[in-house]
Amino acid sequence: MKTIAINQYGPATEFNLLELPKPTPTADEVLVEIHAFSINPMDVAGRQGQLGAPFTDQWSFPLVLGWDFAGVVAQVGAHVTNFALGDRVFGAIASAHAATNGTYGEFVAAGTEELAKIPAGLSFDQAAALPIGGMTAYYGMTHSLDLQPGQKVLVQGGAGGVGLFAVQIAKALGAYVATTASANHRELLMQLGVDQVIDYHETSPAAVLHDFDAVFDTVGDIETGLKVLKSDGKLSTIAGQPTPAQQHDQNKQVAFQFTQGSAADLAALADLVVTGQVQLTLTTLPFSAASVTQAHQTIEGHHTTGKQVIHVKD
């Protein structure tokens, strides 16, 4: 099968098109013919050699990166009963995938814990954009923060791959949503229903927001988020580690979020897209090493709006 792999850790220009054997699914896995995959900041960290265990436990070179995918079931393991040949599916593979079983290729062996069927009305490219970024945001809003209708939430970094999902999911849950973003993203975020957009280059959210119920931090600015929270509010961060002092700030609940999404969560997120409650902002590129290099450089340079998706086949 064709894959896009690296032979050593390094810059985004390390990617090459390589022919490698198809992965062999276990009895608890399915083999998926990939139609699209998306790229996340953790992919960039993996390519740079910045990820440790458990991610790298089975890694060697050549290394095929990637976790998000959408495609068609091509083989079903003996113990799998909820998927069949030909099913259109999307999901994420386990963090600790084998070196040649990443999603930057034509096939991937995937477990079923984070695998769902693609509903009618959702394309492969759209479905591939959902798993890690979308699930991180969905888990944050519904589990980590347990956001309720009428509550106020600040999403720090609302125009990024996770942030765009987070602001829309929060609105779908009935919350008042404020977010930080550059001025050039203000119009997009307002169109998506955000109630208040703060240009962080000009204004600190702590200067204008007070007594918020929740903060979802995607940029690593925990200290500012804490200033926005009410005394018993909740802050969840995916971009930093709270200090002991921050974790004991009044009665506030402050924690790093370890996302544990499920197939049911994926299905619920897909339904939000199909029903128009979450709109996707995608940059779609053809299947090539140059495209993956470009996507990595875009993410690495913090120029991302929405998701970078690689279209493999129709």
Side-chain angles (χ1 to χ4, degrees):
M1 68 170 181
K2 292 183 174 64
T3 66
I4 296 168
I6 58 174
N7 287 308
Q8 62 183 6
Y9 296 127
T13 50
E14 290 292 336
F15 287 108
N16 293 287
L17 186 66
L18 295 179
E19 282 281 346
L20 294 171
K22 289 182 191 177
T24 301
T26 68
D28 296 311
E29 295 178 328
V30 295
L31 181 69
V32 177
E33 183 178 17
I34 294 176
H35 285 237
F37 61 85
S38 66
I39 295 173
N40 297 285
M42 63 190 273
D43 299 33
V44 173
R47 187 251 304 156
Q48 293 173 333
Q50 295 178 353
L51 295 179
F55 296 93
T56 58
D57 290 349
Q58 303 177 65
W59 284 8
S60 57
F61 296 104
L63 173 62
V64 182
L65 291 164
W67 285 268
D68 284 357
F69 66 92
V72 175
V73 175
Q75 185 178 337
V76 180
H79 297 166
V80 177
T81 60
N82 51 341
F83 295 95
L85 289 177
D87 282 347
R88 298 169 71 248
V89 296
F90 72 109
I93 57 175
S95 298
H97 66 73
T100 57
N101 192 45
T103 60
Y104 293 10
E106 293 181 311
F107 290 88
V108 69
T112 60
E113 296 83 2
E114 293 185 52
L115 187 70
K117 295 177 183 178
I118 300 175
L122 200 64
S123 71
F124 288 113
D125 290 350
Q126 291 172 320
L130 297 180
I132 289 179
M135 194 54 48
T136 299
Y138 186 85
Y139 190 89
M141 298 300 107
T142 61
H143 295 71
S144 299
L145 297 177
D146 189 24
L147 204 60
Q148 300 298 312
Q151 289 188 327
K152 296 189 295 183
V153 61
L154 166 66
V155 176
Q156 292 172 284
V162 175
L164 275 176
F165 282 115
V167 296
Q168 295 182 83
I169 293 167
K171 287 302 298 181
L173 293 171
Y176 177 95
V177 180
T179 193
T180 56
S182 298
N184 59 314
H185 291 130
R186 176 181 175 82
E187 183 177 352
L188 169 64
L189 289 162
M190 296 299 287
Q191 289 174 350
L192 294 176
V194 173
D195 298 287
Q196 192 171 356
V197 180
I198 299 161
D199 181 354
Y200 61 90
H201 295 294
E202 301 291 336
T203 306
S204 169
V208 293
L209 304 179
H210 308 284
D211 296 320
F212 266 51
D213 300 282
V215 171
F216 188 62
D217 169 42
T218 75
V219 300
D221 188 2
I222 298 171
E223 197 61 36
T224 297
L226 283 170
K227 293 176 181 177
V228 170
L229 276 184
K230 63 182 185 180
S231 61
D232 59 347
K234 297 178 182 178
L235 184 150
S236 180
T237 179
I238 63 168
Q241 289 292 342
T243 66
Q246 289 170 337
Q247 290 174 313
H248 295 90
D249 186 331
Q250 302 180 70
N251 295 315
K252 300 171 185 176
Q253 298 178 39
V254 184
F256 180 82
Q257 176 181 308
F258 292 96
T259 302
Q260 297 173 313
S262 66
D265 288 338
L266 275 175
L269 178 58
D271 186 62
L272 289 176
V273 177
V274 171
T275 57
Q277 296 177 80
V278 169
Q279 298 178 41
L280 298 179
T281 302
L282 309 180
T283 298
T284 304
L285 301 167
F287 181 58
S288 70
S291 292
V292 172
T293 294
Q294 178 182 330
H296 270 246
Q297 289 173 335
T298 299
I299 293 172
E300 199 170 0
H302 303 288
H303 301 310
T304 311
T305 301
K307 292 287 296 185
Q308 301 281 313
V309 174
I310 307 298
H311 179 84
V312 181
K313 65 177 294 183
D314 294 327

